[in-house]
Amino acid sequence: MSGILGIVSEYNPFHNGHIMHLKKSIELTKADFTIAIMSGNFAQRGDTSLIDKWSKAEMALKQGIDLVIELPTIYSTSSAENFAEGAIKILNALGIVDYLSFGSEIGDIKPLDDVAKVLAKEPKEFSDLIKYQLKSGLSYPKARELAIQKYFGTSPIYIDAIQNPNNILGVEYLKALKRTKSQITPITIKRDYAQYNSSQINNGITSSTAIRNMILNDQNIHSVVPFETYEIIQKLSENGQIIPNLKIFEKEIIYSLRKMSLKEIANLQDVTEGLENKIKEAVDSTNNLDILIQKIKSKRFTQTRIQRIFIYALLNITKHDISVSKKVIPYIRILGFNKHGKRIISAIAEHNPKAKIVVSVKRFFETNKDSHLQNMLMKDILATNIYTLGYKNNSISNLDYTHKILELK
């Protein structure tokens, strides 16, 4: 089996821009099969998924993705670096993927790859530039951005390569490919149809952020998503099973942080430099999530980072959990497939007999005794159980045990 394309996605939700990316990727690579590594119920930028992971998988399958694999929650809620590395490790573990395609604002792989080479090797000159910027109180992403600018000079192409969110994530994919010595060939597709967070609609295409806001404001999204996506979202909305943003879990987050000790907060991933004191003081003085964010936010600690910390508090994701995630090869959790995907799964098993493929959570716990992977999967289960608390109806738990893998005939 050859000509297999990998895509790392959130599909939050799957929209017309994703169709364009998929079609252009297949056109450029001549791929015969497609695999999506997709985040689950919580998103990388410190927010919720609009709809549950199985519904997102169904959307993807109905638009031509052959196999959907879940990116474990520990990676999907991480910084761009760990998010990308987790996804690349899964793609590598499949043993059959030929290409990785990702969207970027720049649409040119060379400057992204040049930056990735520097980040992967971290020459002393570059490390010193980052340390210098951090001393001024900047956040690490901003310090790294300025260090890259100084390292490469003032060329607009390199400034652009590190200032836009999809470019930044693209650099992390390329860096992960280098660090894992991957044989996968990367390509990038220019996002000239709708920029991240943009509310503009261009030829029926807008950003995921804009679509989520449209849904929140009861606007019709029919023109900016495939019909199948529209149908799925409509049905979930009627059933009270839409989770528009993190504020749905306002009380759960504040409760979690209030019951934690300073030491426990300090052990959460992304809590550094005594931030636990500021978090504890703030959470003891308000029960409003927006006010809580404003009390904690600073030049160094961005809103996205703070919201990720809130998710870590909900799921008890610690520095140790992230450290372990960097050292292990994740399991391959299958959410759904079509007839081509069925062939892909057989090919994975054939090429990599040791691949830890999860088709049954119960069976995985019974047969796989790797405590690190068991803990990682427990976070996925907890993430689903907490996510369904936001439902207005049918808020049941343990869906990871009972929900069947989707098979599109």
Side-chain angles (χ1 to χ4, degrees):
M1 181 176 281
S2 60
I4 298 180
L5 169 69
I7 293 173
V8 183
S9 62
E10 289 196 309
Y11 292 153
N12 189 25
F14 196 108
H15 55 64
N16 293 343
H18 294 131
I19 293 178
M20 181 180 290
H21 173 257
L22 179 60
K23 287 182 177 178
K24 285 188 175 181
S25 300
I26 293 171
E27 181 183 333
L28 285 173
T29 62
K30 311 299 182 189
D32 298 311
F33 305 94
T34 55
I35 300 171
I37 309 298
M38 189 189 74
S39 60
N41 294 323
F42 289 90
Q44 190 267 329
R45 293 182 178 93
D47 212 338
T48 59
S49 176
L50 176 73
I51 59 176
D52 69 274
K53 59 191 179 186
W54 292 284
S55 296
K56 290 196 297 181
E58 182 182 356
M59 289 177 178
L61 292 170
K62 286 184 173 179
Q63 299 308 319
I65 296 292
D66 297 316
L67 174 64
V68 181
I69 296 169
E70 181 179 5
L71 180 63
T73 303
I74 282 179
Y75 299 108
S76 70
T77 57
S78 284
S79 65
E81 180 181 46
N82 206 39
F83 177 96
E85 190 167 304
I88 296 302
K89 286 193 290 188
I90 293 174
L91 287 172
N92 289 340
L94 301 181
I96 57 171
V97 177
D98 300 296
Y99 304 99
L100 166 71
S101 176
F102 59 89
S104 66
E105 290 86 358
I106 199 169
D108 182 355
I109 203 118
K110 186 182 183 304
L112 300 177
D113 197 56
D114 288 344
V115 173
K117 286 175 185 174
V118 172
L119 294 178
K121 294 179 179 177
E122 286 199 9
K124 185 177 185 304
E125 179 187 352
F126 178 69
S127 296
D128 289 344
L129 285 170
I130 289 183
K131 290 174 185 175
Y132 176 79
Q133 298 296 337
L134 285 172
K135 286 179 181 177
S136 65
L138 296 173
S139 66
Y140 182 81
K142 188 64 180 178
R144 191 176 75 166
E145 176 188 323
L146 294 176
I148 290 171
Q149 285 184 25
K150 290 183 180 296
Y151 189 87
F152 284 101
T154 56
S155 170
I157 198 166
Y158 288 106
I159 293 173
D160 184 36
I162 55 173
Q163 281 191 336
N164 291 294
N166 290 286
N167 287 345
I168 292 168
L169 195 52
V171 166
E172 293 299 342
Y173 293 139
L174 295 170
K175 185 177 78 174
L177 288 171
K178 295 177 191 306
R179 286 188 170 175
T180 59
K181 296 181 171 56
S182 177
Q183 299 301 305
I184 297 171
T185 300
I187 67 164
T188 188
I189 307 294
K190 184 174 176 62
R191 282 179 59 109
D192 54 4
Y193 47 85
Q195 300 306 312
Y196 174 71
N197 270 346
S198 171
S199 59
Q200 293 184 338
I201 298 175
N202 182 11
N203 293 323
I205 297 175
T206 190
S207 68
S208 296
T209 303
I211 293 169
R212 293 193 298 273
N213 287 335
M214 288 170 73
I215 291 169
L216 191 60
N217 295 321
D218 292 323
Q219 293 176 266
N220 194 311
I221 61 167
H222 197 282
S223 64
V224 292
V225 298
F227 180 70
E228 292 83 359
T229 293
Y230 178 80
E231 275 194 322
I232 290 168
I233 290 175
Q234 281 294 104
K235 182 178 178 181
L236 291 171
S237 181
E238 289 168 6
N239 291 340
Q241 295 177 335
I242 293 285
I243 309 293
N245 52 48
L246 198 61
K247 195 170 174 64
I248 294 294
F249 302 107
E250 178 176 70
K251 292 295 185 287
E252 289 86 351
I253 289 167
I254 290 172
Y255 165 74
S256 296
L257 288 168
R258 283 189 176 183
K259 75 182 179 67
M260 296 174 79
S261 67
L262 276 173
K263 184 179 179 181
E264 288 171 326
I265 296 175
N267 283 334
L268 295 175
Q269 176 63 15
D270 278 357
V271 176
T272 60
E273 303 172 58
L275 183 62
E276 65 273 15
N277 295 296
K278 193 171 185 180
I279 291 173
K280 193 66 173 172
E281 181 182 350
V283 80
D284 285 344
S285 64
T286 183
N287 63 0
N288 181 285
L289 200 67
D290 295 328
I291 294 174
L292 181 62
I293 291 169
Q294 293 306 313
K295 284 175 174 284
I296 302 169
K297 192 170 71 169
S298 68
K299 184 166 64 172
R300 175 161 292 203
F301 298 106
T302 63
Q303 179 166 335
T304 295
R305 181 169 174 177
I306 292 165
Q307 290 187 184
R308 279 206 301 266
I309 291 170
F310 291 167
I311 293 173
Y312 298 148
L314 271 179
L315 304 179
N316 192 29
I317 295 177
T318 65
K319 292 181 172 74
H320 176 71
D321 293 324
I322 299 297
S323 176
V324 169
S325 76
K326 294 175 183 293
K327 299 171 185 174
V328 302
I329 305 299
Y331 43 78
I332 299 162
R333 172 79 186 280
I334 295 171
L335 293 179
F337 58 88
N338 60 19
K339 61 181 181 180
H340 299 303
K342 199 169 187 176
R343 289 179 59 194
I344 296 171
I345 295 168
S346 297
I348 294 166
E350 181 182 337
H351 282 77
N352 186 3
K354 294 183 179 179
K356 297 177 175 63
I357 300 175
V358 182
V359 292
S360 163
V361 168
K362 181 175 182 291
R363 194 178 309 134
F364 182 81
F365 281 124
E366 290 172 348
T367 59
N368 189 292
K369 301 306 178 184
D370 185 321
S371 61
H372 297 317
L373 294 185
Q374 287 192 351
N375 179 62
M376 187 178 287
L377 188 52
M378 285 301 298
K379 300 297 184 188
D380 294 346
I381 294 166
L382 179 59
T384 302
N385 290 345
I386 289 176
Y387 185 82
T388 58
L389 284 176
Y391 290 175
K392 294 178 182 177
N393 301 303
N394 299 321
S395 181
I396 59 176
S397 66
N398 292 325
L399 292 178
D400 285 275
Y401 289 96
T402 60
H403 201 296
K404 293 181 179 179
I405 293 175
L406 299 167
E407 184 174 1
L408 200 67
K409 302 293 186 181

